[in-house]
Amino acid sequence: MSAGTPRSLPSSGQKSIQDICHPLSAEESALSRSPDVVNPSSSAGEKDLSLPNGTPVDTSSPASSSSLLNRLQLDDDLDGETRDLFVTVDDPKKHVSTMETYITYRVCTKTTRTEFDLPEYSVRRRYQDFDWLRNKLEESQPTHLIPPLPEKFVMKGVVDRFSEEFVETRRKALDKFLKRVADHPVLSFNEHFNAFLSAKDLNKRQGLALLTKMGESVKYVTGGYKLRARPVEFAAMGEYLDVFTQKLGTIDRIAQRIIKEESEFLVELREYGPVYSSWSSFEEDLHDPLEGVAGCVSNCSGALEELTEDMSEDFLPVLREYVLYIESMKNVLKKRDQVQAEYETKLEAVVFREDKKTPVPTDVEKCQDRVECFNADLKADWDRWQNNKRQDFRQLLTGMADKNIQYYEKCLAAWESLIPLLQDKQEAKGETN
């Protein structure tokens, strides 16, 4: 079985996944009813929600992908005509105060969704705001894979976190983070995401204090219980992630070494070219060819510098993003295992009870439903992640090939330009003889 295209698991419950009210949502009151009866009017939108700054909001954020089947048709390869939410991160600005220095980014949103009061928004956010959003997404949507943020501290090879290179690398990563959330059929309807995009002021202290029941329910697991075994499909996911981690780690180490060697070679080239230029001033007969060599070396230096920058700014960040993505996926798998362990614990307690005629307790059925929903959400996110990964690495590797071809073409063109100079000098020498 291929880990990249996991096989669908049959439902172990008595109901189809579309008929199950999402068990990990904050609607604990809905779960108190019989599991065979689902009130379609019960939804997350009926709660008295408020933005982090205390402003009430009216939203119908779906709790799982199954609740969107009749409401939204999305595909991983959406074109611009079918999307209804566009988000961009740009215009980084440095802010200096007596207490701290930090960078903010402009977040622009265009949408036709009714959950938003306006069709366009423009707000400024700093890194800790993005971090707040991701934490809230993890708390409120624990069954889903949350895209990773770039590392909070200085990345490898970058010393100054206020340098243009570092800020631009982080801006690209933050832009990709928001685009991945905006393209997700569940996360994009989250009320915290709505607040992040539209609220002028994020009162994060208030928001962080309001831990959802959904997040707390996943953190609770019967202590000391060891999961019997992951289902084959999810075990294959874990094995794939382990191998993928090793491959990315090897590529990252080699790429770092290549960049280091190219940077050292670039220093030598920059010292190498001027030597020929200086030499030409003492050799009248060889002046033009020597200047030509100096120009060739200079052109090759410029081409190598561009190639090295491309690897540092475009290639390595993608590798690091997917390393963080793997950690996020492993965390979701671990949460799934915890929910399954809780279900197995409660089921065993029922199996070994003395009274065999008593119906299965409702909490066991609820827990089973939670496992089913977790499995469905995780499989959907896994397929979406695999599609994104194929597209990202196809684009990455194709771009890397093009950049290397351009580098060698520039070097070849530089040295070919030297041939006429040498031929002219040879002909002039023949005429003199």
Side-chain angles (χ1 to χ4, degrees), residues 24-60:
L24 294 180
S25 70
E27 309 168 53
E28 295 295 336
S29 59
L31 291 178
S32 61
R33 306 187 188 94
S34 171
D36 295 325
V37 180
V38 178
N39 183 1
S41 65
S42 175
S43 65
E46 293 180 355
K47 293 194 309 174
D48 184 17
L49 298 175
S50 61
L51 300 182
N53 62 3
T55 305
V57 295
D58 180 17
T59 180
S60 54

Side-chain angles (χ1 to χ4, degrees), residues 150-159 166 169-170 173 317 320:
E151 296 161 305
K152 181 175 182 178
F153 300 102
V154 176
M155 301 176 186
K156 294 180 181 178
V158 181
V159 177
F166 177 82
T169 299
R170 172 164 284 185
R320 292 177 188 137

Side-chain angles (χ1 to χ4, degrees), residues 52-193:
N53 62 3
T55 305
V57 295
D58 180 17
T59 180
S60 54
S61 173
S64 73
S65 55
S66 60
S67 63
L68 281 171
L69 293 178
N70 297 325
R71 171 179 174 181
L72 188 64
Q73 293 295 327
L74 287 177
D75 185 78
D76 294 313
D77 297 324
L78 287 174
D79 55 36
E81 296 181 355
T82 56
R83 284 199 180 108
D84 55 6
L85 180 63
F86 296 86
V87 183
T88 58
V89 179
D90 59 12
D91 190 26
K93 288 186 178 180
K94 184 177 181 180
H95 300 262
V96 180
S97 66
T98 56
M99 300 296 294
E100 60 179 338
T101 301
Y102 58 93
I103 303 293
T104 64
Y105 304 85
R106 182 176 61 182
V107 177
C108 297
T109 305
K110 293 184 178 181
T111 183
T112 57
R113 292 185 180 181
T114 57
E115 289 82 3
F116 292 86
D117 296 330
L118 300 174
E120 294 186 16
Y121 293 90
S122 179
V123 295
R124 299 204 69 86
R125 299 285 184 254
R126 54 188 298 185
Y127 180 88
Q128 67 180 30
D129 298 327
F130 288 85
D131 190 45
W132 170 86
L133 172 61
R134 191 178 188 282
N135 289 334
K136 299 306 294 182
L137 291 176
E138 280 193 332
E139 291 171 6
S140 56
Q141 306 286 354
T143 64
H144 287 287
L145 172 63
I146 311 301
L149 282 172
E151 296 161 305
K152 181 175 182 178
F153 300 102
V154 176
M155 301 176 186
K156 294 180 181 178
V158 181
V159 177
D160 182 9
R161 67 189 182 98
F162 296 113
S163 65
E164 292 185 6
E165 295 79 7
F166 177 82
V167 171
E168 177 60 17
T169 299
R170 172 164 284 185
R171 184 203 64 79
K172 291 179 180 178
L174 295 176
D175 181 73
K176 182 173 289 187
F177 166 74
L178 287 188
K179 280 181 168 57
R180 293 199 191 281
V181 176
D183 289 341
H184 195 283
V186 177
L187 301 180
S188 63
F189 286 90
N190 185 278
E191 65 267 21
H192 302 296
F193 186 51

Side-chain angles (χ1 to χ4, degrees), residues 23 34 76 116 162 169 173 181 197 277 308 315 358 366 387 402:
S34 171
D76 294 313
F116 292 86
F162 296 113
T169 299
V181 176
L197 297 179
S277 182
T308 305
F315 186 77
T358 306
K366 293 178 186 176
N387 287 334
D402 289 340

